[in-house]
Amino acid sequence: MIRITLSGFLSNGLHHTHGLVAWYPFNGDAKDASGNENHGEVYGASLVKDRFGEDRAAYFFDGLDDYIRIEHNPKANPKNFTLCVWVNPDKGKAGIQTVLRNTDHPAQKGFLIYYRYAAWAFWTGSKPWSRIDQPKAFAGIWTHLTFSFYSDNESEKGVMTTYINGQKNFSKPGSYTPNSSHGLGIGGNGNKIEHPSLFFRGCLDNIRIYN
């Protein structure tokens, strides 16, 4: 049997589509390229060059009020999941910043990725939150992140795993309950449309969600 590392597939830029429920390549817009029509609505974020220097192929978020919001879709909230994103945080902002957030709060359901005090933070919700904030973050450079949660018995208990640039970084037990009602926020806490918060400053590209 040939075994393929999923993170290696994705960080090398190959288009692995099995289990893909949402894909945002940001090629001129925030549309979902997976075919599942989980399209994003852009609030202030601007198209810029990506890591290859291609124009209008990534989004810059100003850290003040920019974000992208995707309406809730149960299919984009699978029981087991893998999240992939290219990130390039700016050096000029500190504190907690949202990369990707799909949560129901205060019910503590869903998942989120933060840029948090010079580390990447991966949280899953199931009262209480489970989290990994061990991977060190570097501002000013493109980094590929892969975060996953897997339970082999369909329970809330499972394993959280992080990969940085295709290399396994950390794994630990965790728990997870899918978000049942709120939308997905990219670059900000977009599930609270009336009061979005925790904005990211920097560039994001090629976001994928797998079941």
Side-chain angles (χ1 to χ4, degrees), residues 31-43:
K31 291 183 178 180
D32 175 15
S34 72
N36 295 314
E37 298 188 354
N38 295 302
H39 302 310
E41 185 172 357
V42 180
Y43 293 85

Side-chain angles (χ1 to χ4, degrees), residues 5-8 13 17 24 27 38 68 71 73 80-81 90 104 134 138 144 160 177 182 188 197:
T5 302
L6 176 60
S7 183
T17 58
Y24 305 98
N27 291 331
N38 295 302
I68 296 172
E71 294 293 334
N73 182 343
N80 294 310
F81 63 85
D90 192 89
D104 184 348
Q134 184 261 350
F138 296 95
H144 186 263
M160 306 165 66
T177 301
H182 290 283
S197 59

Side-chain angles (χ1 to χ4, degrees), residues 112-141:
L112 60 92
I113 302 173
Y114 281 153
Y115 175 54
R116 185 174 184 267
Y117 304 117
W120 302 116
F122 171 36
W123 293 35
T124 57
S126 188
K127 283 193 174 181
W129 292 102
S130 300
R131 80 186 201 193
I132 295 175
D133 15 348
Q134 184 261 350
K136 186 176 181 181
F138 296 95
I141 62 172

Side-chain angles (χ1 to χ4, degrees), residues 97-112:
Q97 303 175 50
T98 301
V99 174
L100 189 65
R101 179 166 180 152
N102 192 354
T103 62
D104 184 348
H105 187 77
Q108 297 186 6
K109 297 178 181 179
F111 58 74
L112 60 92

Side-chain angles (χ1 to χ4, degrees), residues 47-162:
L47 287 163
V48 295
K49 292 181 180 180
D50 67 6
R51 63 193 182 281
F52 302 115
E54 184 175 346
D55 199 22
R56 295 176 57 83
Y59 270 104
F60 172 76
F61 300 79
D62 67 4
L64 300 174
D65 56 6
D66 292 355
Y67 67 102
I68 296 172
R69 186 177 190 276
I70 296 93
E71 294 293 334
H72 175 76
N73 182 343
K75 293 182 179 180
N77 293 268
K79 185 66 179 179
N80 294 310
F81 63 85
T82 297
L83 313 174
C84 307
V85 57
W86 280 96
V87 293
N88 187 355
D90 192 89
K91 298 179 180 179
K93 184 180 179 181
I96 300 173
Q97 303 175 50
T98 301
V99 174
L100 189 65
R101 179 166 180 152
N102 192 354
T103 62
D104 184 348
H105 187 77
Q108 297 186 6
K109 297 178 181 179
F111 58 74
L112 60 92
I113 302 173
Y114 281 153
Y115 175 54
R116 185 174 184 267
Y117 304 117
W120 302 116
F122 171 36
W123 293 35
T124 57
S126 188
K127 283 193 174 181
W129 292 102
S130 300
R131 80 186 201 193
I132 295 175
D133 15 348
Q134 184 261 350
K136 186 176 181 181
F138 296 95
I141 62 172
W142 284 103
T143 302
H144 186 263
L145 307 180
T146 305
F147 292 154
S148 70
F149 175 88
Y150 178 73
S151 174
D152 61 4
N153 57 9
E154 294 300 312
S155 73
E156 294 181 354
K157 303 294 184 180
V159 177
M160 306 165 66
T161 306
T162 65

